[in-house]
Amino acid sequence: MNWRIKQVDRLVAYSVLSAVLATWLLLTGLDAAKAFIGAAADIGQGNYGIGAVMLQILCTVPRRAYEWFDSAALIGSLLGMGALAGTGELIALRSAGLSKLRICLSVAWSLGVLTLLVAVMGDTLGPRGEQQAQSLLLQAKSSSVAIGQRSMGVWARDGDTFINAKRGITRQVQGLREVQLSDVRVFEFAPKGQLLSIAVAESAVHSSGQWTMQKVRKTEFVDAQANSTTEASVSWKSGLDPRYLALSIVQPAYLSISDLRRNIRALKRNQEFSRPFELAYWAKVFWPLNVLVLVVCVLPFAFGALRSGGMGKRIFVGMVLAIGWNFLQRALVNVGAVYNINLAFATLLPALLLALLAYLYFRRA
């Protein structure tokens, strides 16, 4: 097989990339419009107006574009190949001696550079835009909570008390949303600005309407002395609203690879639960490979459908395959996490299984 770029590669690239870009723009636009409609319901809370909503949604566009690219690549590739099939060019390529594998690899080559560019965007503009969007949302709705940059974490104010948490997560426990802060520091000041005490806690959890700090070391400053005490658990009386704290917490899937790696190291060093960050880390690392493997391995199974169906059928096939792939990937990753299988292998396993099926198909063909 001659692997040099030929006219056929340019033909396939033009047809596929134009369809992928159009599909990508449509999916991202619909997702942003849906988010705008949902956010518009909160207009009027604090300084949250139509301008703040539009700016917030605009900041999340890079993240949304990254999340929808895999589906757009799959559906767009099917549409592009369907366009070639509709004009008879796909049959002409097959008659000229090009195998299905060679044509599918032309699709992969045309998508390869774009996929890498999107991966870079998802690791740079996506996390920064998401953080900026959440910061804008908090500034408009609440003046007591702010998002710090990089390792600064979350800052919040409760009267004369200032709270800093390096990390935070939200989770569902028995149907209730729970906010957990890690590596917490609470600075208590007097009305005139004197520092009264510093409390350092391993974690702080808001559950059942109250805050509880674990493994607390508190230092109180009285006159010229500093008195330190240590307690395993302390009930924290704070009027800090966990709803706004939940808004300030950036989800692991929205962090960059470097930030995820930094959080994983910190959590493991402190012997804390790091699995959500590890899952997000390996999903980002293998994302370009998963996209290309999915496109290359699915196209051969759709060749027959592309020759006999119209655009509606191609879109339906693409949607079914994209949804099926997402379910398979999540199921295998969750099973691997439950049985303590290496998370890198569990994340890569769906792509390996799909590649094996494709290999058997091409070998038989």
Side-chain angles (χ1 to χ4, degrees):
M1 184 182 295
N2 192 344
W3 300 99
R4 292 180 301 174
I5 297 178
K6 297 183 177 181
Q7 187 65 29
V8 60
D9 299 311
R10 298 186 180 92
L11 174 67
V12 171
Y14 176 79
S15 179
V16 169
L17 287 179
S18 58
V20 168
L21 291 175
T23 306
W24 191 25
L25 180 62
L26 177 63
L27 293 177
T28 305
L30 289 175
D31 186 36
K34 179 182 176 182
F36 177 83
I37 294 173
D42 294 334
I43 290 178
Q45 296 184 14
N47 298 321
Y48 198 52
I50 186 69
V53 174
M54 294 180 65
L55 186 57
Q56 176 209 344
I57 299 301
L58 185 62
C59 290
T60 64
V61 167
R63 188 263 300 173
R64 298 179 191 279
Y66 170 78
E67 291 178 341
W68 281 105
F69 180 78
D70 53 352
S71 297
L74 178 57
I75 297 175
S77 298
L78 291 174
L79 290 176
M81 296 295 286
L84 293 177
T87 58
E89 291 171 294
L90 189 59
I91 297 177
L93 294 177
R94 296 283 289 122
S95 302
L98 289 178
S99 65
K100 292 181 179 180
L101 175 60
R102 179 66 178 84
I103 297 174
C104 291
L105 289 178
S106 295
V107 177
W109 289 334
S110 63
L111 281 175
V113 175
L114 181 59
T115 302
L116 291 178
L117 291 176
V118 175
V120 172
M121 179 187 70
D123 196 49
T124 54
L125 296 180
R128 292 177 185 175
E130 189 66 27
Q131 186 179 58
Q132 184 64 30
Q134 289 183 306
S135 179
L136 290 171
L137 179 63
L138 283 173
Q139 289 176 12
K141 287 187 174 183
S142 173
S143 60
S144 62
V145 182
I147 303 176
Q149 299 294 325
R150 301 185 66 83
S151 61
M152 296 293 290
V154 179
W155 280 95
R157 179 177 181 178
D158 180 16
D160 294 324
T161 302
F162 292 82
I163 301 98
N164 171 237
K166 294 298 179 64
R167 291 171 301 277
I169 60 173
T170 59
R171 57 189 179 185
Q172 294 289 337
V173 179
Q174 296 180 352
L176 299 176
R177 194 177 191 185
E178 184 177 278
V179 176
Q180 178 176 339
L181 304 177
S182 300
D183 199 357
V184 182
R185 288 166 174 80
V186 180
F187 305 88
E188 185 180 358
F189 291 87
K192 294 184 178 181
Q194 298 95 336
L195 180 62
L196 299 179
S197 66
I198 300 176
V200 179
E202 184 179 275
S203 63
V205 180
H206 185 275
S207 180
S208 301
Q210 66 177 4
W211 288 95
T212 303
M213 292 196 296
Q214 304 291 338
K215 296 183 179 179
V216 184
R217 185 179 72 254
K218 185 174 183 179
T219 302
E220 296 181 327
F221 302 97
V222 181
D223 297 329
Q225 295 182 342
N227 302 320
S228 296
T229 57
T230 302
E231 297 186 62
S233 178
V234 174
S235 179
W236 180 20
K237 296 180 180 180
S238 174
L240 200 59
D241 194 335
R243 294 175 299 174
Y244 292 122
L245 273 180
L247 290 175
S248 69
I249 295 172
V250 179
Q251 301 300 320
Y254 299 160
L255 295 174
S256 65
I257 291 178
S258 59
D259 287 338
L260 286 170
R261 189 187 302 115
R262 187 182 304 110
N263 277 280
I264 291 171
R265 289 175 179 172
L267 290 171
K268 287 186 174 180
R269 184 169 57 249
N270 297 328
Q271 297 182 345
E272 297 182 51
F273 187 69
S274 63
R275 184 160 295 170
F277 293 90
E278 292 182 69
L279 289 173
Y281 174 80
W282 290 114
K284 283 209 170 226
V285 168
F286 292 123
W287 182 84
L289 177 63
N290 285 334
V291 171
L292 294 178
V293 167
L294 176 62
V295 171
V296 171
C297 296
V298 166
L299 280 180
F301 302 102
F303 266 54
L306 293 177
R307 290 197 300 268
S308 59
M311 181 177 293
K313 187 173 184 179
R314 295 166 201 153
I315 294 176
F316 176 75
V317 170
M319 292 178 64
V320 170
L321 292 174
I323 293 173
W325 163 257
N326 287 329
F327 273 113
L328 173 65
Q329 190 176 42
R330 291 180 182 180
L332 291 178
V333 169
N334 290 334
V335 169
V338 169
Y339 289 98
N340 291 322
I341 300 175
N342 182 273
L343 292 180
F345 176 74
T347 305
L348 190 60
L349 183 58
L352 294 177
L353 292 177
L354 199 58
L356 176 60
L357 291 175
Y359 169 76
L360 296 176
Y361 170 85
F362 284 121
R363 183 178 181 182
R364 185 182 63 179

